[in-house]
Amino acid sequence: MKKNIKASNNLAEKRTDKKITQEELASKVNVSIQTIQSIEKGKYKPSMSLAFAIASLLDEQVDSVFP
């Protein structure tokens, strides 16, 4: 039986709403694609500076991306 695991953030939703790929986001905030994937899956919590950089790039408040 497969469990549905909800990510602890809204990054994937906000990123796709802005039509930005994982690769583009990773490049713009200077991290690997694997880091973005891990954040989206809730396996990794970004540092405050990375969270703010991602939110800024998406033109969102940090707490709307990472509640």
Side-chain angles (χ1 to χ4, degrees):
M1 183 179 287
K2 201 173 192 181
K3 292 182 180 180
N4 287 335
I5 299 173
K6 185 180 184 304
S8 58
N9 62 66
N10 300 316
L11 178 54
E13 177 185 347
K14 300 288 186 183
R15 178 184 55 74
T16 55
D17 286 350
K18 304 286 183 178
K19 298 183 180 7
I20 298 173
T21 67
Q22 289 178 333
E23 184 176 14
E24 290 169 329
L25 179 59
S27 175
K28 289 180 181 184
V29 296
N30 297 315
V31 298
S32 68
I33 296 169
Q34 291 82 4
T35 297
I36 298 299
Q37 291 170 338
S38 293
I39 294 170
E40 288 185 356
K41 292 177 183 177
K43 294 181 177 182
Y44 173 75
K45 290 188 177 188
S47 65
M48 288 297 285
S49 60
L50 179 55
F52 276 97
I54 290 170
S56 176
L57 188 105
L58 297 174
D59 196 29
E60 296 282 347
Q61 296 291 321
V62 72
D63 59 350
S64 72
V65 181
F66 301 102

